[in-house]
Amino acid sequence: MGIIDSTDRAIYRNIDGHEWVVEDRQFEISLDKQDWSSYRTLKILMHSQKRTGTRVRIEITGPDKRVLGWTIFSVDWQGENHMQLWLDNFEPYKKEKDFCGVEGIKMSCEIPGSWPAGIIVKDICVTEEAPVWKVNESDTLIEAGYHKIAAKPDEWIVADERSFIPAAPPFCLFPTEMLSREGGYEVWTFETFGYGQGDKPGKLSVSRRFDVDISRHSKLLLKMTWDRDALLTVKALTDGEKVKDILVKERYSNEPWQGEWYTFGCSIEDDVKLDSIELMIEETETRNIDGRNIAMRLFWIIIREDTFLDEAPIKEVDIKVSQDRYMRRRVQQVPFADPAPSETPIGDPMAEGLPYGFIFNKKNLPVIKQKISMGAEAGKISNEIIKEADEAIASEYVDKSYYPNKAYGGGIGQKKGLRGAGMRLYAPVTAAAHLLTGEERYAKAARRWILRAAASDDWRGDHGGCVARPQIGDRGSRWDSFTGWYPMGFAGEKNHCFHIADSSYGIVLAYDMLYHCFCDEEKKTVEDAFGSLGVYMLYDKLHYFREFYINMNQGVLFALPLLMQLGFIKDRDPVYQSMYEWTLGFLLEFGEKPWSGEGVCLEGPGYGQGTLREYIEALPAIAACRGTGIKDIVTKGMLNVMEYIMHVRSTVYDTKPLFISLSDGSGKWGNTSIFSFFAHEYDDPYARYFFEESHEDDMQTAFWSLLYADPKIRPQIPQLPPAKVFRDQPMVFFRTGWQKGDTLAAMTNIRKVTGHGHMDRGSIVFEYNGEQLLIDPGMVGYSDANTGMFQATFCHNTLTFNQASQLGGTEVYDTSITDFLSHSGWTCPGTDGTIDWAVADITAVYPQADVFFRHMIFLRPNILLLFDEVRTSIPNMPELNFNCKGPLSSDGKKVVSTASENQLLLFTSATSPLEREFKKWGTHEPGVDSYRLIVRSKDRCRDICFLTILAAGRKTQSLPEINCSVQGSRFFAEIENNGYLETVKACSEKEVYIEVERKKNGRKTDSMIFKEGRLLSRDIL
């Protein structure tokens, strides 16, 4: 049966059912000249025998075979695919394509797959209807705001009469294709509608006509997120006159246990036709004004039929959503026939098991058991593993998610193992408990879950993935049960196959530990599932986007379970053997990529630490597959990450240390597993100290922590230098110490960002007496409409031109630290009265600038000087941005930010007249603001130099007195600061000259100059 109906224009029908092997030849159809200008959708009905990953290029051609539009799909499905493509979304993208003279369709191999792709092209037609996609037994996707190929934002029309836009015109964002094969990276967007905040509360209404037959459907569901301070109204019009109020002025709610996306909907069981849907977002009079975008994001819209799925039983499950709070959810089960219970006797792992020994092997298992019997750390970790395993086998149902304390996603409420549900969380720790105790109850439970997973139709149930259909009332993450597979031909674009990676990780690792518990037939069943469910998308993603993944955390996250699965099936097929060798090589090279030779993490502190932890976790498996020791794999750069981790530790926290909030994912500092690895394997006394600092309340239950428990090295209190510069990926750290309450001034200027980075080169963070006074806003959730704005330059403490962002992406920019000089000694707190000075060249990320040098000068313990040299070919109005912890006040010259316990004086002078602007902006913490000071040149100029004095002090203290004058290109400033007289002299007439001198009680304590591009101690001259 084809897909042609009465509204379609037939292009091609394959009556004979012959197969086209994509790699062998082109598929081409010649047509008499046809006018497709009134058609919206190209439909192709195809059948594929196997997922091969072959990339196929479709071209619509005109006269002389001129390409009118093209797109590329992947052979990522098995069976039948009703591919439907917006004609307007063909490349090159423009709102109205010129399809009035179509003379042919051509399909050809763009990139060969792992196997030859055999496709039966059954039907091709064009239609005036919009594309829709059937994604499961009951649900049809009619709007796919998560996918570039399927979304159509310009179908949504602004209702001017129902909108009030206070500032710039409203915007509509197209979902981006996140990755490029060259390693490029774009901010992940969804279909987004919004406007910039203005003086008065705004309102935006958009609507789209659907004209969809819903006579067989009973429910309409939408999944959206919207501004946390605005109201959302959603209405549907059916049958020409029925208005359905789906949401009315709903305020966004995001409790800690909720995901960012809200699923809601209404009944349509008495309706025949869906005419249109209206989305409206509006601010209130009590809004928080901070200049952000007020926006709503649309994930998808589906219509649902009544099916047998609705008759499935309901399971009540209690989910832990905080330390002392549980939430009871009613979860409809996925109909599934469990495989027959295994009758295989539990064997002996030392005789019949541990074929690879990815974590535990026949050599280390007896040693680990001996360690456990002696107590200490290994005993504590073992007790935690057994406790967690006992909780796991107490119920057959998943009661927690990969994301801590979240009530949705991860297969919550479904049986363990079903579509991979809970397998990373439960299966390995339960299998480990069997190896450590010998008790069969653990082995039988984990085996049952593995066999259930092997009998499933896919693995979608971990890392936030969803096993079941979405339901009204869900508050989940940016994944769904169908988003990894649909539209077929473009699968996995947005979700990075996290769900398959984590599900297969848990399954294969537990399988290796319990290999002695399966008969030959059961082993074949599990290993068949590796090939059919676990390998394809992981390998396809990594192989196709290698240059991106080789540099960041997802590379090891996906490659490790891929390697382990391929280890079991590599002898079945030369293709699997080739994949295995490729993946092993990928993981070995990975050890050099996410960090520089000096150990600077190219994803920033939070994600950088996570990548290191994941790679440490992968080392035993890589070593097992390679047949070498762990230390043979570790790279020099990886060893140096420990020093970087110490330097990016914040001096501001309540109880547990935190990272400086640079880039995405910054948060809790110092994973204890990293510290245990370096202490055990490399006798690092600092790592041991940090482990003991945090392990008491944060004991790792990860089974592989047992490999590194109870090292011989004793702890030693770390000694950090008062001034540190990283050169290969430039960063600067000036400090009085590394503990809570010490002073820290840091600047980032790294050359390459591999993902999760912000456009923040040259940005300063200044911490003093337990508060970050000059702040980095961190990040908001990836689903938030303002994600891109938090990554933008304006909300960092660096230079902008008209608030525009620096160059970004994953390209390498020629930024550097051109010079560095410190007189503060070798260890903290550093010598009183001394100077630390670094000069950064940040020019490369500013297309507007010919020169941007930033001098960062620390006068310990509380003053930071910035001297910024900016030169441009075209007259411009450069501006400095300062994002402060506390509200701002000004006497016309100097500005003071007053935080909870401290205050920060900000004084900027320049070689051109200045003007100041005060704004407010958010941070990653809801309800926590940053107070913005923008200091810009009042007039357009080609050359300008700024001198900024940042002086911190307690609220109970008087701030320093500043006397500053600028005459032409010459600066003179004196600062009276707690008994010190700080003097700054500078000239920028031809080339920059700066002199800084410190005196206490009339006696000079230090002096430095910058002359002819070099830093010199004043006494040298």
Side-chain angles (χ1 to χ4, degrees):
M1 178 180 176
I3 57 173
I4 299 173
D5 60 34
S6 59
T7 66
D8 297 337
R9 178 171 185 167
I11 304 299
Y12 169 83
R13 172 164 286 170
N14 181 356
I15 299 174
D16 299 328
H18 59 264
E19 184 180 74
W20 167 46
V21 180
V22 178
E23 285 82 357
D24 288 352
R25 60 183 176 85
Q26 295 181 350
F27 178 97
E28 194 164 6
I29 302 169
S30 296
L31 304 169
D32 294 332
K33 188 173 183 179
Q34 297 184 0
D35 183 359
W36 287 10
S37 57
S38 64
Y39 295 111
R40 303 164 77 191
T41 303
L42 175 68
K43 296 182 178 181
I44 307 175
L45 177 60
M46 292 180 282
H47 186 278
S48 168
Q49 296 291 342
K50 188 180 185 69
R51 296 171 176 167
T52 70
T54 305
R55 263 55 181 186
V56 181
R57 183 182 182 93
I58 308 178
E59 294 178 349
I60 300 171
T61 57
D64 301 321
K65 298 188 182 295
R66 178 170 62 90
V67 177
L68 304 178
W70 61 271
T71 194
I72 295 172
F73 70 84
S74 173
V75 183
D76 59 17
W77 76 93
Q78 184 172 346
E80 201 159 75
N81 178 8
H82 295 250
M83 185 177 290
Q84 302 190 41
L85 301 169
W86 288 102
L87 284 168
D88 280 355
N89 280 0
F90 274 61
E91 300 286 350
Y93 180 77
K94 55 184 179 180
K95 190 167 183 179
E96 294 182 5
K97 292 281 196 306
D98 181 17
F99 285 139
C100 60
V102 176
E103 295 188 0
I105 295 176
K106 182 173 76 173
M107 291 191 282
S108 59
C109 180
E110 181 78 3
I111 301 174
S114 300
W115 295 269
I119 294 177
I120 300 173
V121 181
K122 295 184 175 182
D123 287 326
I124 303 177
C125 68
V126 288
T127 180
E128 296 177 2
E129 297 177 349
V132 298
W133 301 270
K134 184 89 174 191
V135 296
N136 56 40
E137 298 90 339
S138 64
D139 296 342
T140 299
L141 186 69
I142 63 172
E143 178 75 48
Y146 65 91
H147 206 298
K148 177 185 177 183
I149 202 70
K152 198 67 169 63
D154 48 26
E155 291 275 312
W156 294 85
I157 307 300
V158 175
D160 293 328
E161 72 282 1
R162 293 175 55 77
S163 302
F164 173 72
I165 309 301
F171 59 84
C172 172
L173 297 181
F174 206 96
T176 58
E177 186 171 11
M178 192 169 182
L179 309 178
S180 72
R181 296 203 74 203
E182 295 73 31
Y185 176 86
E186 292 187 63
V187 174
W188 181 355
T189 62
F190 296 84
E191 199 166 29
T192 305
F193 311 98
Y195 60 90
Q197 210 172 28
D199 295 336
K200 296 181 180 180
K203 179 167 65 174
L204 174 64
S205 170
V206 298
S207 62
R208 178 189 160 183
R209 288 204 64 81
F210 285 90
D211 297 326
V212 172
D213 181 358
I214 54 174
S215 57
R216 303 189 317 274
H217 298 83
S218 60
K219 290 186 179 67
L220 171 68
L221 292 86
L222 300 89
K223 185 170 181 176
M224 295 183 67
T225 185
W226 62 98
D227 188 275
R228 65 180 72 152
D229 198 33
L231 306 177
L232 181 68
T233 296
V234 178
K235 297 183 179 183
L237 179 67
T238 63
D239 298 336
E241 58 183 15
K242 301 177 187 175
V243 177
K244 295 182 176 292
D245 293 320
I246 303 173
L247 286 186
V248 179
K249 298 194 176 200
E250 184 85 5
R251 184 174 291 277
Y252 182 82
S253 171
N254 190 8
E255 296 288 338
W257 51 269
Q258 294 176 336
E260 298 163 315
W261 292 88
Y262 181 29
T263 300
F264 53 89
C266 67
S267 170
I268 51 172
E269 59 185 355
D270 297 325
D271 302 295
V272 175
K273 181 182 178 185
L274 173 63
D275 299 305
S276 63
I277 292 176
E278 178 191 15
L279 314 173
M280 183 167 66
I281 190 168
E282 56 187 309
E283 295 176 90
T284 66
E285 294 292 340
T286 58
R287 68 203 174 119
N288 185 36
I289 304 172
D290 55 16
R292 70 190 185 279
N293 287 332
I294 305 299
M296 47 189 169
R297 282 187 160 183
L298 177 60
F299 199 118
W300 48 249
I301 303 174
I302 60 176
I303 49 178
R304 173 166 293 170
E305 301 176 55
D306 289 333
T307 67
F308 69 95
L309 297 175
D310 301 297
E311 306 303 319
I314 303 292
K315 169 69 179 176
E316 289 192 347
V317 58
D318 290 324
I319 307 149
K320 188 175 184 179
V321 295
S322 68
Q323 189 64 30
D324 54 0
R325 180 185 173 193
Y326 285 81
M327 174 185 175
R328 175 160 291 189
R329 278 194 57 209
R330 291 168 52 81
V331 181
Q332 190 166 52
Q333 300 299 288
V334 173
F336 177 77
D338 262 340
S342 174
E343 300 295 334
T344 304
I346 304 300
D348 178 2
M350 300 299 290
E352 309 165 71
L354 301 172
Y356 273 93
F358 292 132
I359 298 295
F360 302 111
N361 56 52
K362 295 174 183 178
K363 182 179 179 180
N364 69 19
L365 185 57
V367 176
I368 289 170
K369 287 184 174 182
Q370 179 65 24
K371 274 189 180 183
I372 291 170
S373 69
M374 297 171 66
E377 283 170 21
K380 292 179 181 178
I381 295 171
S382 175
N383 289 339
E384 290 296 321
I385 289 171
I386 293 167
K387 177 183 175 183
E388 194 168 324
D390 286 339
E391 292 175 358
I393 66 174
S395 171
E396 199 65 7
Y397 293 86
V398 176
D399 58 5
K400 61 183 176 180
S401 171
Y402 170 89
Y403 291 108
N405 305 329
K406 295 295 183 184
Y408 296 89
I412 284 178
Q414 304 293 337
K415 286 185 175 181
K416 293 184 175 85
L418 174 58
R419 291 177 171 168
M423 290 304 282
R424 178 164 188 134
L425 289 174
Y426 298 106
V429 73
T430 305
H434 163 68
L435 291 180
L436 298 177
T437 65
E439 294 187 33
E440 293 189 358
R441 59 193 180 111
Y442 298 119
K444 290 178 179 179
R447 179 177 64 186
R448 183 168 61 250
W449 307 334
I450 292 170
L451 291 174
R452 184 179 291 139
S456 299
D457 54 344
D458 58 54
W459 291 343
R460 62 175 75 164
D462 231 326
H463 200 110
C466 301
V467 167
R469 303 176 299 167
Q471 301 287 354
I472 291 174
D474 285 356
R475 295 300 302 260
S477 64
R478 53 195 177 276
W479 291 281
D480 258 310
S481 57
F482 53 81
T483 52
W485 287 267
Y486 292 90
M488 287 192 287
F490 305 90
E493 178 180 348
K494 286 296 184 189
N495 62 6
H496 286 238
C497 55
F498 284 115
H499 51 345
I500 293 176
D502 275 12
S503 295
S504 59
Y505 172 91
I507 294 165
V508 68
L509 198 54
Y511 178 68
D512 181 62
M513 295 185 203
L514 300 179
Y515 192 77
H516 56 286
C517 304
F518 296 87
C519 67
D520 289 344
E521 183 181 349
E522 291 166 340
K523 290 173 183 176
K524 183 178 183 302
T525 298
V526 175
E527 293 170 19
D528 284 349
F530 292 158
S532 62
L533 304 180
V535 164
Y536 165 74
M537 194 179 291
L538 295 175
Y539 179 76
D540 184 71
K541 277 294 179 187
L542 289 170
H543 190 257
Y544 191 71
F545 296 114
R546 184 184 188 280
E547 291 311 306
F548 176 75
Y549 286 119
I550 194 70
N551 290 296
M552 56 98 69
N553 72 89
Q554 293 160 20
V556 63
L557 186 68
F558 300 166
L560 175 59
L562 176 61
L563 178 73
M564 293 190 291
Q565 291 176 94
L566 288 167
F568 283 102
I569 62 175
K570 67 182 189 307
D571 295 334
R572 293 184 171 195
D573 187 328
V575 173
Y576 287 146
Q577 178 67 40
S578 176
M579 289 179 173
Y580 175 80
E581 292 170 0
W582 183 94
T583 306
L584 182 57
F586 176 95
L587 282 166
L588 290 170
E589 184 181 348
F590 185 91
E592 301 175 347
K593 292 293 188 176
W595 31 75
S596 70
E598 291 181 299
V600 174
C601 292
L602 307 186
E603 297 172 86
Y607 274 98
Q609 174 197 248
T611 303
L612 178 62
R613 176 187 58 80
E614 289 162 4
Y615 196 63
I616 289 172
E617 182 177 343
L619 288 175
I622 299 171
C625 291
R626 194 180 182 218
T628 62
I630 286 174
K631 288 187 176 181
D632 296 325
I633 302 168
V634 174
T635 64
K636 181 181 178 182
M638 179 180 167
L639 292 177
N640 288 333
V641 175
M642 260 303 300
E643 183 179 13
Y644 166 81
I645 286 176
M646 289 191 288
H647 280 287
V648 292
R649 172 172 167 148
S650 174
T651 62
V652 176
Y653 54 90
D654 292 326
T655 55
K656 291 290 185 181
L658 302 171
F659 279 118
I660 307 170
S661 56
L662 300 172
S663 301
D664 289 356
S666 295
K668 181 181 175 183
W669 174 88
N671 185 281
T672 54
S673 301
I674 294 174
F675 299 145
S676 64
F677 171 79
F678 281 105
H680 188 277
E681 295 295 304
Y682 290 94
D683 295 329
D684 186 331
Y686 293 175
R688 184 60 190 173
Y689 174 89
F690 288 127
F691 177 86
E692 293 192 358
E693 179 191 49
S694 59
H695 90 282
E696 184 175 353
D697 299 322
D698 190 28
M699 177 63 70
Q700 292 292 302
T701 58
F703 33 85
W704 50 267
S705 294
L706 284 170
L707 303 181
Y708 312 120
D710 299 297
K712 297 177 182 178
I713 191 70
R714 306 312 305 159
Q716 182 178 329
I717 296 175
Q719 299 293 321
L720 265 63
K724 171 67 179 178
V725 166
F726 291 97
R727 296 279 191 171
D728 57 4
Q729 293 294 337
M731 298 189 79
V732 180
F733 298 90
F734 297 148
R735 64 177 71 246
T736 63
W738 53 268
Q739 294 178 314
K740 181 177 179 180
D742 289 328
T743 303
L744 170 63
M747 175 171 63
T748 180
N749 193 31
I750 69 173
R751 302 176 70 238
K752 180 178 175 63
V753 172
T754 59
H756 300 293
H758 294 182
M759 291 168 280
D760 60 355
R761 291 169 174 94
S763 187
I764 305 290
V765 169
F766 193 19
E767 298 181 347
Y768 175 83
N769 189 36
E771 289 185 296
Q772 193 175 94
L773 300 180
L774 206 57
I775 70 175
D776 185 294
M779 63 170 288
V780 290
Y782 292 120
S783 302
D784 192 289
N786 287 292
T787 294
M789 297 181 76
F790 274 77
Q791 295 168 340
T793 305
F794 79 88
C795 61
H796 296 86
N797 304 304
T798 189
L799 175 79
T800 55
F801 294 87
N802 196 31
Q803 297 291 278
S805 283
Q806 303 168 349
L807 298 176
T810 56
E811 293 83 359
V812 178
Y813 296 100
D814 191 19
T815 56
S816 63
I817 303 298
T818 62
D819 210 350
F820 164 65
L821 186 60
S822 171
H823 288 166
S824 296
W826 297 105
T827 59
C828 288
T831 306
D832 289 341
T834 53
I835 300 170
D836 305 306
W837 194 327
V839 186
D841 182 356
I842 317 169
T843 311
V845 293
Y846 289 95
Q848 310 93 328
D850 299 325
V851 170
F852 175 35
F853 286 96
R854 166 159 279 189
H855 295 252
M856 179 179 174
I857 308 164
F858 184 43
L859 310 179
R860 63 187 53 249
N862 67 320
I863 291 183
L864 186 64
L865 306 178
L866 303 176
F867 189 91
D868 295 308
E869 176 190 1
V870 184
R871 303 187 189 277
T872 64
S873 300
I874 300 172
N876 217 311
M877 299 169 68
E879 57 206 4
L880 301 181
N881 300 273
F882 300 99
N883 293 267
C884 302
K885 174 66 179 276
L888 301 169
S889 59
S890 175
D891 64 1
K893 291 186 178 180
K894 59 180 181 290
V895 177
V896 175
S897 169
T898 305
S900 298
E901 303 294 331
N902 305 284
Q903 50 190 336
L904 178 67
L905 183 150
L906 304 95
F907 182 96
T908 301
S909 56
T911 52
S912 293
L914 298 175
E915 61 184 15
R916 294 169 176 82
E917 185 177 1
F918 299 91
K919 288 188 173 183
K920 192 165 68 168
W921 178 242
T923 66
H924 65 287
E925 295 289 343
V928 177
D929 296 316
S930 69
Y931 297 87
R932 301 191 57 225
L933 168 64
I934 306 166
V935 182
R936 68 169 59 88
S937 172
K938 189 179 292 186
D939 305 315
R940 292 187 176 274
C941 56
R942 285 190 173 89
D943 300 333
I944 185 172
C945 288
F946 300 87
L947 172 63
T948 300
I949 301 167
L950 302 168
R954 298 173 185 265
K955 287 170 67 172
T956 55
Q957 297 173 322
S958 297
L959 287 169
E961 293 292 328
I962 297 175
N963 175 29
C964 184
S965 63
V966 183
Q967 295 182 351
S969 61
R970 296 179 178 273
F971 294 82
F972 177 81
E974 287 185 337
I975 310 165
E976 296 181 19
N977 175 40
N978 297 326
Y980 283 94
L981 178 64
E982 328 282 12
T983 304
V984 183
K985 299 175 184 178
C987 178
S988 61
E989 188 170 351
K990 292 183 179 179
E991 59 182 22
V992 169
Y993 171 90
I994 310 170
E995 180 178 343
V996 179
E997 182 180 83
R998 305 194 71 183
K999 289 183 178 180
K1000 186 169 187 180
N1001 300 324
R1003 185 180 64 85
K1004 184 171 72 172
T1005 61
D1006 202 359
S1007 180
M1008 288 185 191
I1009 68 167
F1010 178 80
K1011 182 181 181 180
E1012 297 177 351
R1014 294 181 58 203
L1015 285 171
L1016 300 168
S1017 299
R1018 188 69 176 87
D1019 294 339
I1020 293 175
L1021 299 180

